[in-house]
């Protein structure tokens, strides 16, 4: 027996950690994992991956790539012989899904920085086509509004360290008084820290930075990164448990929702 995994590019840290966790937890149950990494997220490409999985006798599929609600719902509906579990879809999507609580983590970053006295914010979002990037940005803005902050400046990166580096110059240029940058993932935060060092915005002129993911490396960034921990191993474990339980039912239920917690880890990049 086998599972299918459709994933975003494994060159990113989070999806590769999630894929590794899925593979190891599946193997504990003697399940092989067949991995597909489609270039785009169009209906045709995804449907042909599902057809290939079906031809390999796969009956359970985990999809860890950003999909809009209507597309995820269509794939789930039109492949109702497969147990499909989605990891990166909007909260209101009518499909089975396991994901992290974005509100908890994003809100905690804003509250932490506000309590430290920050009032001038830069927001570095992930790519606009990413569901999680939009959800995190939306929560930052809502939380900032609740504190009465309406002048935060937004830039969009592409999850990579190099985009974090480049966008920092734009943010600081747009508002030189920014004292905190909230970043949508650790890889971009690494680039932000590097740009701030280059701009000599360290020591007395320092800018606080928060990341997101708590990848293992973030503890060794300079300074050690304050970030939102998402337990990717737990996500992989729960995804395998849920998809195997969906597969055991005939037909597989279309809507089972699981929300996993996140946690703010305060280190040296916020003051
Ligand atoms: C999300 C990560 O937080 C982000 O860093 C990036 O790697 C992205 O994945 C790639 O799609 S986590 C995902 C389960 C929403």
């Amino acid at each position: 027996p086998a599972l299918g995994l459709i994933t975003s590019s494994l060159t990113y840290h989070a999806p590769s950690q999630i894929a590794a966790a899925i593979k190891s937890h599946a193997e504990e149950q003697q399940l092989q994992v067949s991995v597909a990494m489609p270039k785009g997220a169009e209906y045709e490409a995804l449907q042909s991956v599902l057809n290939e999985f079906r031809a390999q006798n796969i009956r359970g599929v985990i999809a860890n790539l950003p999909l809009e609600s209507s597309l995820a719902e269509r794939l789930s509906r039109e492949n109702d012989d497969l147990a499909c579990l989605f990891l990166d879809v909007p909260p209101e999507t009518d499909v089975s899904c396991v994901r992290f609580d974005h509100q908890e983590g994003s809100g905690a970053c804003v509250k932490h920085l506000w309590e430290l006295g920050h009032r001038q914010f830069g927001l570095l979002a992930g790519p606009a086509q990413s569901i999680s990037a939009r959800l995190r940005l939306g929560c930052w803005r809502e939380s900032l509004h609740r504190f009465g902050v309406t002048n935060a400046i937004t830039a969009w990166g592409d999850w990579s360290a190099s985009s974090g580096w480049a966008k920092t110059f734009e943010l600081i240029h747009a508002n030189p008084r920014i004292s905190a940058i909230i970043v949508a993932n650790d890889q971009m935060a690494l680039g932000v820290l590097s740009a701030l060092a280059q701009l000599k915005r360290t020591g007395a002129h320092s800018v606080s930075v928060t990341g997101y993911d708590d990848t293992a490396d973030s503890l060794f960034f300079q300074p050690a990164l304050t970030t939102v921990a998402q337990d990717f191993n737990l996500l992989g474990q729960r995804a395998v448990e849920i998809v195997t339980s969906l597969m055991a039912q005939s037909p597989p239920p279309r809507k089972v929702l699981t929300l996993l917690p996140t946690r703010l880890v305060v280190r040296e990049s916020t003051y």
Side-chain angles (χ1 to χ4, degrees), residues 8 12 14-15 18 64 87-88 132 136 159 185 213 230 232:
S8 320
Y12 299 128
I18 295 165
N64 180 28
L87 310 194
D88 198 359
S132 54
R136 290 169 200 174
W159 296 131
N185 78 339
D213 285 342
Q230 308 199 93
F232 296 129

Side-chain angles (χ1 to χ4, degrees), residues 252-266:
R254 296 259 68 85
K255 192 169 185 181
V256 173
L257 300 182
T258 308
L259 202 59
L260 302 178
T262 60
R263 183 173 52 90
L264 181 69
V265 181
V266 178

Side-chain angles (χ1 to χ4, degrees), residues 5-23 33-39 62-66 87 159 187:
L5 169 64
I6 312 180
T7 177
S8 320
S9 170
L10 294 176
T11 56
Y12 299 128
H13 204 102
S16 70
Q17 297 286 300
I18 295 165
I22 289 173
K23 191 150 172 54
V33 181
S34 189
V35 180
M37 216 169 79
K39 285 228 167 50
I62 299 170
N64 180 28
L65 74 175
L87 310 194
W159 296 131
Q187 278 178 290

Side-chain angles (χ1 to χ4, degrees), residues 208-220:
S208 285
V209 177
T210 60
Y212 211 106
D213 285 342
D214 192 25
T215 52
D217 296 349
S218 67
L219 174 60
F220 302 98

Side-chain angles (χ1 to χ4, degrees), residues 178-225:
I178 282 175
S179 68
I181 303 181
I182 306 180
V183 187
N185 78 339
D186 291 356
Q187 278 178 290
M188 291 196 294
L190 177 62
V192 171
L193 292 175
S194 157
L196 290 172
Q198 201 174 330
L199 287 164
K200 306 253 181 316
R201 296 296 298 263
T202 52
H205 307 287
S206 58
V207 174
S208 285
V209 177
T210 60
Y212 211 106
D213 285 342
D214 192 25
T215 52
D217 296 349
S218 67
L219 174 60
F220 302 98
F221 290 3
Q222 193 60 262
L225 190 67

